[in-house]
Amino acid sequence: MAAAAKAAASRQPPICPLCERPIPPEAKSSRHHLTPRLKGGTHKGTVRLHQICHSAIHARFSEAELARRLAGIESLRADPEIATFLAWVREKPPAFHAPTRMTRQRRDMRRPRD
């Protein structure tokens, strides 16, 4: 019986650590480097996230900001912008995906300054 329970557990979809919804096989997903690769995170930890959750992170924060203050799931969840996103996305089905746009503030930061 233990083998059957173990097999059933292995068929369960992984859980997105950010939004805590299941990631079914048909859902878009990707690996998120907790410390960005550009900031030394190549061989540090990664987590599997829904693509919409991963895109929400990178639409709001620079690599430097992620490395400096948001290099963990708990710190990301505690950020007010991500908390607002999480409250919204938790109401969606597990395989939900929508395009994610960069925030206006982040776009303005990336524009060349004269």
Side-chain angles (χ1 to χ4, degrees):
M1 188 67 176
K6 195 177 215 180
S10 70
R11 287 190 298 268
Q12 295 296 320
I15 301 295
C16 176
L18 191 62
C19 72
E20 301 176 320
R21 296 178 302 142
I23 305 174
E26 69 275 11
K28 293 182 179 184
S29 68
S30 60
R31 287 183 315 135
H32 173 66
H33 286 82
L34 293 171
T35 300
R37 289 181 296 170
L38 294 172
K39 300 296 179 182
T42 300
H43 301 292
K44 294 186 180 178
T46 63
V47 291
R48 170 91 28 213
L49 301 176
H50 288 102
Q51 184 61 52
I52 194 168
C53 296
H54 194 192
S55 296
I57 293 168
H58 289 283
R60 289 165 173 78
F61 307 110
S62 68
E63 301 289 308
E65 192 170 13
L66 288 169
R68 187 176 54 251
R69 67 177 194 90
L70 297 167
I73 293 299
E74 292 306 319
S75 59
L76 284 164
R77 278 194 202 138
D79 182 85
E81 285 188 62
I82 294 295
T84 299
F85 164 78
L86 291 175
W88 173 78
V89 83
R90 283 184 178 135
E91 301 297 319
K92 307 297 181 211
F96 175 79
H97 181 76
T100 303
R101 292 187 178 91
M102 190 178 294
T103 63
R104 178 174 287 133
Q105 179 183 5
R106 178 104 191 276
R107 267 194 318 269
D108 291 345
M109 287 175 36
R110 294 183 80 181
R111 287 191 181 138
R113 296 195 170 112
D114 297 327

